Amino acid sequence: MGTWGTSIKDNDAFADVYSEFFDFYNKGGQPEIISKKIIEDNWEILEIEEEKNSLWFALALAQWETKSLDPKIISKVEEIILSGVDLKIWLSLGASEQDIKKRKIALDKFLEKIKSDRPKAKPRKRKKLKTPIFATGDCLVFKLSNGNYGGAVVLATDNNPETAYNLVVTTRLNQSNKPTIKDFQNTEVLICNFGQWQDKADVTWYMPDLFYKDYADIYEKIGKISVDLEYDNKNHDGKGYLFKPSWTACWGMNNAADKQFESELTKPKPKKTLTIKQLTKKEKWWKVF
């Protein structure tokens, strides 16, 4: 299951499908052909109950923005929203009553939007060279829904101008005062067991494409720690690492932390533990023997 927020866009599956659509669109692809390819290539998402709706939402928004909205797609989205099936999924995942209300408002506004007439199609963007949003070791602070501060650490930077990923680990910081560098050095990694997660470390390669548009105001860089270990974005399975990374364009570290801490109010925290030091510092030679 991906990162979740009540907004239509606050979901890994949505962000990935939407980003993929415009990658092809900006290269000259035709919306109808792109849409068909996305449905064929992402069949796994359509088999995941809690994520499949986000694929249809992302596709509908992308088609609406390019004035190519397929009547079958908008009919599908309308059926999902008016039937309440999306809200039922949220209920089954343990969403709070407040989140359900926010989600319903977001769904209704989304349906109203894509049923309106867009004046003109979104122009294609020329391909730009990308740069990573953050540097290795950057410590990021964000506000949690409980009013406390949470945090994340950048473990690696991909300097390929066509991808420019950042590998980011979410921490278990959850405190009333803004975290210090020492707090980051001594904290644990966020291990998720909310919803369908099963003790998975929240470590993700984030694409830079949507950061400044949708997420820049959420995260604040407050300093840097040293990262002695190296991580390769070609290592998709995390072979040799203490975690298996995820991949997304949705910078949802704050949502993952919110959901996990909320879950722990009624459910035991994961027994598995992992520290930031374990992901940033090389093992001392005398500890090997």
Side-chain angles (χ1 to χ4, degrees):
M1 185 180 72
T3 298
W4 290 70
T6 55
S7 169
I8 294 292
K9 295 182 178 181
D10 287 343
N11 173 273
D12 289 349
F14 182 103
D16 296 344
V17 169
Y18 183 85
S19 178
E20 182 180 353
F21 183 100
F22 280 101
D23 278 346
F24 288 118
Y25 180 74
N26 290 330
K27 292 175 183 176
Q30 296 304 310
E32 297 80 6
I33 298 175
I34 296 171
S35 299
K36 183 179 179 182
K37 178 175 174 56
I38 284 178
I39 293 172
E40 291 175 350
D41 291 353
N42 292 279
W43 60 268
E44 298 98 331
I45 294 179
L46 294 175
E47 294 188 349
I48 302 174
E49 192 67 20
E50 61 267 25
E51 291 191 352
K52 64 182 182 181
N53 291 343
S54 290
L55 181 145
W56 298 119
F57 295 161
L59 204 53
L61 181 61
Q63 289 184 352
W64 180 80
E65 290 180 348
T66 55
K67 288 189 71 68
S68 61
L69 191 54
D70 184 339
K72 291 181 180 179
I73 296 294
I74 193 170
S75 178
K76 179 73 174 177
V77 170
E78 188 171 26
E79 178 186 355
I80 292 170
I81 294 175
L82 296 183
S83 69
V85 66
D86 188 76
L87 298 180
K88 290 178 182 177
I89 291 174
W90 275 62
L91 278 171
S92 71
L93 293 173
S96 66
E97 184 178 344
Q98 184 180 17
D99 279 347
I100 294 295
K101 289 180 179 179
K102 289 181 179 179
R103 180 66 173 179
K104 186 178 187 311
I105 291 172
L107 290 171
D108 291 342
K109 286 184 177 180
F110 178 66
L111 183 58
E112 181 181 359
K113 179 176 183 176
I114 62 173
K115 292 181 75 173
S116 67
D117 182 41
R118 182 180 171 94
K120 58 181 180 180
K122 190 174 185 176
R124 299 179 193 269
K125 292 182 179 179
R126 293 182 180 180
K127 184 177 179 180
K128 299 188 296 184
L129 297 182
K130 302 176 183 179
T131 55
I133 302 298
F134 298 107
T136 301
D138 281 350
C139 296
L140 312 178
V141 168
F142 50 84
K143 290 302 290 285
L144 295 165
S145 60
N146 62 13
N148 285 348
Y149 289 95
V153 176
V154 180
L155 295 178
T157 304
D158 161 34
N159 290 309
N160 182 333
E162 293 188 358
T163 49
Y165 303 116
N166 275 130
L167 181 64
V168 183
V169 54
T170 310
T171 75
R172 282 193 61 85
L173 288 171
N174 180 11
Q175 56 193 62
S176 58
N177 57 304
K178 185 176 288 189
T180 64
I181 293 301
K182 188 174 182 179
D183 289 326
F184 276 97
Q185 292 171 328
N186 295 322
T187 192
E188 293 181 3
V189 171
L190 185 76
I191 306 295
C192 297
N193 68 349
F194 67 87
Q196 302 301 311
W197 286 121
Q198 296 183 359
D199 291 359
K200 185 181 187 302
D202 194 52
V203 188
T204 303
W205 285 102
Y206 290 95
M207 307 170 197
D209 309 66
L210 303 177
F211 181 82
Y212 289 113
K213 178 182 177 183
D214 296 323
Y215 306 101
D217 60 342
I218 299 175
Y219 302 103
E220 175 189 358
K221 183 175 71 174
I222 58 105
K224 181 179 291 190
I225 63 174
S226 61
V227 178
D228 302 331
L229 302 179
E230 295 184 0
Y231 297 101
D232 186 355
N233 62 16
K234 297 181 178 62
N235 186 354
H236 296 274
D237 294 326
K239 186 177 181 180
Y241 300 162
L242 295 175
F243 58 85
K244 181 177 180 180
S246 300
W247 301 74
T248 185
C250 172
W251 293 71
M253 297 93 77
N254 62 324
N255 286 325
D258 273 336
K259 295 299 182 185
Q260 182 58 36
F261 295 141
E262 182 181 347
S263 172
E264 290 176 14
L265 296 176
T266 56
K267 177 181 178 180
K269 63 177 287 190
K271 293 182 179 179
K272 176 181 177 181
T273 60
L274 191 61
T275 68
I276 289 298
K277 285 182 179 178
Q278 286 178 277
L279 299 190
T280 59
K281 300 298 180 184
K282 291 183 178 179
E283 190 76 14
K284 300 295 184 182
W285 66 268
W286 59 83
K287 291 184 179 180
V288 177
F289 300 96

